[in-house]
């Protein structure tokens, strides 16, 4: 077993190595059976005017009820309760999670992994540099349509039709134009409310906003969700919505590299 004070000391030693890193939260659940420490990296911003903060976290998790190994995982979720803990751990397949089985040498191996944690924090900073690069690219009004069109094709495909008057193709195009109009409305609202510019970053965020809050979600007999909102949250974290958002972010990264 790994004692809580051992894990706490490891986290504090890790934080002391970097002036930009500190312990943000810590807690235990189920009578102390499950324990976490949340390490916070330096707050980053999507633009030079510091209007869009991005906060990177690294969570150290352990259980005393044989339900898991010791886990070290990056997350963008501020863990303060069971719901946020479950959400953060639910995403661990998407990130570079490091796990350690409970053996005699476990703490020695956990400490050896501190380099990987530091690298993870550096990787977050690199991602922030990419975001700032993307957010510095001015997109003219006609370029917005081009980017939205590419993002729509990325998610739902762009079926080639020999006959553009084919009923199926017409339905596809009508749905596409309607969806892009929704994205434009979200973009303009966000630009106006937050005094932002048209950039690949704000364009992508209009799409991910729609995916998070507007994309159609339905209850299925195959799932245990009791409400649409519950199904939507699950989809945003682990389902197709999470996949779509990853595709959108990869797309704007590639766009920035090309520009």
């Amino acid at each position: 077993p790994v004692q809580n004070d051992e894990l706490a000391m490891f986290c504090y030693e890790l934080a002391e190595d970097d002036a930009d890193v500190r312990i943000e939260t810590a807690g235990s659940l189920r009578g102390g059976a499950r324990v976490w420490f949340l390490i916070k990296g330096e707050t980053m911003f999507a633009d030079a005017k510091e209007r869009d903060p991005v906060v990177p976290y690294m969570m150290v998790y352990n259980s005393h009820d044989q339900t898991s190994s010791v886990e070290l995982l990056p997350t963008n979720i501020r863990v303060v309760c069971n719901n946020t803990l479950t959400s953060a751990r639910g995403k661990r397949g998407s990130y570079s999670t490091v796990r350690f089985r409970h053996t005699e040498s476990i703490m020695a191996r956990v400490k050896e992994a501190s380099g990987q944690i530091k690298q993870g924090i550096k990787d977050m900073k690199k991602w922030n540099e990419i975001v700032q690069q993307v957010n510095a690219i001015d997109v003219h009004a006609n370029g917005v349509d081009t980017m939205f069109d590419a993002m729509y094709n990325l998610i739902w495909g762009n079926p080639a039709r020999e006959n553009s008057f084919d009923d199926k193709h017409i339905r596809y195009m009508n749905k596409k134009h309607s969806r892009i109009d929704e994205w434009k409305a979200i973009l303009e609202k966000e630009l106006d409310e937050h005094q932002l510019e048209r950039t690949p970053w704000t364009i992508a965020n209009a799409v991910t906003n729609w995916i998070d809050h507007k994309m159609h979600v339905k209850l299925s007999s195959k799932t245990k969700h009791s409400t649409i909102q519950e199904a939507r949250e699950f989809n945003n974290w682990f389902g197709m919505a999470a996949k779509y958002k990853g595709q959108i972010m990869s797309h704007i990264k590639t766009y920035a590299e090309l520009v």
Side-chain angles (χ1 to χ4, degrees):
V2 176
Q3 301 302 323
N4 293 342
D5 60 348
E6 289 182 286
L7 212 57
M9 188 59 66
F10 163 73
C11 292
Y12 277 98
E13 287 174 354
L14 184 68
E16 287 173 358
D17 287 343
D18 190 330
D20 297 325
V21 177
R22 65 185 178 90
I23 306 300
E24 175 78 357
T25 67
S28 68
L29 295 165
R30 301 193 178 183
R34 300 178 187 182
V35 180
W36 84 86
F37 293 88
L38 191 69
I39 300 169
K40 177 182 178 294
E42 180 184 8
T43 298
M44 303 175 290
F45 295 90
D47 67 350
K49 296 181 181 179
E50 300 189 351
R51 294 171 295 187
D52 194 354
V54 179
V55 184
Y57 296 109
M58 184 73 65
M59 186 171 72
V60 181
Y61 174 82
N62 186 35
S63 74
H64 297 291
D65 58 2
Q66 300 182 352
T67 57
S68 79
S69 54
V70 173
E71 298 177 349
L72 313 178
L73 64 152
T75 179
N76 58 357
I77 296 172
R78 187 174 187 271
V79 180
V80 295
C81 63
N82 185 56
N83 288 342
T84 49
L85 176 65
T86 302
S87 300
R89 294 191 68 230
K91 287 189 172 184
R92 60 192 183 276
S94 304
Y95 299 105
S96 302
T97 304
V98 184
R99 298 180 180 86
F100 302 92
R101 293 192 308 126
H102 288 262
T103 62
E104 285 188 33
S105 60
I106 182 170
M107 279 311 299
R109 289 184 290 115
V110 168
K111 289 179 179 179
E112 287 174 5
S114 63
Q116 290 177 266
I117 295 179
K118 293 174 184 176
Q119 185 58 49
I121 293 172
K122 289 180 181 178
D123 289 343
M124 292 177 187
K125 291 180 179 179
K126 288 180 181 177
W127 166 245
N128 183 241
E129 291 173 4
I130 293 171
V131 169
Q132 290 191 346
Q133 180 184 354
V134 168
N135 215 18
I137 301 171
D138 181 39
V139 179
H140 297 292
N142 58 348
V144 173
D145 286 335
T146 302
M147 289 202 70
F148 277 148
D149 186 82
M151 291 177 185
Y152 188 94
N153 295 342
L154 186 69
I155 297 174
W156 287 287
N158 185 23
R161 298 283 174 186
E162 293 183 6
N163 182 3
S164 60
F165 297 101
D166 176 84
D167 287 345
K168 189 173 182 179
H169 182 66
I170 291 173
R171 287 195 300 270
Y172 169 84
M173 293 304 298
N174 287 339
K175 184 176 181 180
K176 181 177 185 178
H177 291 151
S178 175
R179 186 66 33 79
I180 289 177
D181 285 342
E182 291 183 68
W183 294 349
K184 285 181 182 177
I186 293 171
L187 174 64
E188 293 306 318
K189 182 174 183 290
E190 292 185 340
L191 295 182
D192 182 60
E193 286 183 356
H194 304 289
Q195 299 301 301
L196 302 173
E197 289 78 36
R198 288 182 182 84
T199 70
W201 175 251
T202 54
I203 292 169
N205 272 272
V207 178
T208 58
N209 181 311
W210 181 89
I211 291 172
D212 276 337
H213 304 289
K214 301 291 185 181
M215 190 170 77
H216 179 66
V217 176
K218 62 181 180 180
L219 295 176
S220 169
S221 59
K222 296 180 181 180
T223 68
K224 298 179 181 179
H225 306 133
S226 56
T227 66
I228 290 292
Q229 183 58 29
E230 187 179 320
R232 181 178 299 281
E233 290 174 355
F234 182 89
N235 193 36
N236 287 341
W237 291 333
F238 318 119
M240 291 304 296
K243 177 184 176 182
Y244 293 159
K245 288 183 287 185
Q247 289 175 326
I248 294 299
M249 290 303 165
S250 294
H251 175 73
I252 63 166
K253 178 182 176 183
T254 303
Y255 180 88
E257 290 171 347
L258 291 174
V259 172

